[in-house]
Each structure stands twice: as structure tokens, then as C-alpha cells.
């Protein structure tokens, strides 16, 4: 059944048995064990179920989102260090673009941040 599958390894990694490793054919996963407070684990399980996904997939997606946010914050900080702080107009334009990219309506007066 698997005889036609060729295993390839990533650079610097020795090929493994097809039972364990399908580089390039199947998404790679690294199994980890985490400990969560019971209330948090239950909340994650409920959120995952509501989204029609698994506990692990929900955690992975949430972690990836957090890492993207952090990378954006660092990039913005670096940009401001080199170019000066963003103006209020630039910040407002950024908020409008962010809401649009998320499919949200423009913020109303009550939702706008004040200085």
C-alpha cells in the first residue's frame, strides 16, 4: 500500500520510516505534552468544538495568531524607531484597514480609541 510513497527528508535530517515521516506529502507535527488548569482546558475544548476543530488544532492556530501579532508589534516598533511615531491619521487609517481585512464594519464613535 505504501510502497509507492517515497520519503524525503528535510536538509540535515535523516529519512525516517514511512510509518513516522512523510516529508512533503503530509503536514508535519511535533507531539508535545502541556499542562493546563482544568477550567482553561475545558474552555479550550469548548472553543475548539464550537469551531469544529480539535483541541490541538485550536491551540496551534491560537499560538500561530499570537506569534504573528508579536512579530507585527516588533516590526512596528522597529519601523517607528527608524521613522518616528505614527501620526494619528496613520493610526486611524491602519485601524480602518485592519477592520476591513477582518470583514468588520468601520468603528463607531464609541469604539474609537481616544488619546
Amino acid at each position: 500500500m505504501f510502497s509507492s510513497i517515497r520519503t524525503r527528508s528535510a536538509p540535515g535530517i535523516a529519512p525516517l520510516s514511512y510509518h513516522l515521516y512523510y516529508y512533503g506529502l503530509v503536514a508535519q507535527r511535533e507531539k508535545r505534552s502541556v499542562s493546563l488548569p482544568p477550567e482553561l482546558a475545558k474552555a479550550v475544548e469548548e472553543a475548539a468544538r464550537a469551531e469544529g476543530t480539535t483541541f490541538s488544532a485550536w491551540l496551534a492556530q491560537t499560538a500561530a495568531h499570537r506569534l504573528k501579532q508579536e512579530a507585527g508589534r516588533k516590526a512596528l516598533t522597529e519601523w517607528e524607531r527608524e521613522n518616528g511615531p505614527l501620526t494619528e491619521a496613520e493610526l486611524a487609517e491602519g485601524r480602518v484597514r485592519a477592520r476591513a481585512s477582518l470583514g468588520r464594519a468601520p468603528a463607531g464613535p464609541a469604539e474609537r480609541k481616544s488619546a
Side-chain angles (χ1 to χ4, degrees):
M1 174 171 150
F2 294 102
S3 59
S4 64
I5 295 177
R6 290 187 207 153
T7 58
R8 294 180 287 154
S9 62
I13 299 176
L16 299 175
S17 163
Y18 67 86
H19 294 286
L20 302 174
Y21 191 69
Y22 296 105
Y23 184 77
L25 299 174
V26 176
Q28 301 301 296
R29 299 287 183 255
E30 186 171 317
K31 193 164 183 97
R32 296 291 176 128
S33 176
V34 297
S35 299
L36 302 172
E39 310 82 38
L40 179 58
K42 183 178 179 183
V44 170
E45 186 66 45
E46 289 171 1
R49 190 177 310 114
E51 291 182 20
T53 191
T54 65
F55 190 98
S56 292
W58 191 93
L59 284 178
Q61 180 182 18
T62 302
H65 180 75
R66 171 74 187 271
L67 291 170
K68 287 177 188 175
Q69 287 179 326
E70 278 301 309
R73 286 185 191 101
K74 287 179 183 177
L76 181 57
T77 298
E78 182 63 29
W79 188 91
E80 286 187 318
R81 187 178 297 122
E82 294 174 7
N83 300 287
L86 293 169
T87 65
E88 274 305 313
E90 290 168 328
L91 289 169
E93 181 183 345
R95 287 186 198 104
V96 168
R97 287 182 175 198
R99 291 184 71 84
S101 73
L102 295 170
R104 297 182 182 166
E111 294 178 271
R112 292 192 182 115
K113 293 186 176 186
S114 60

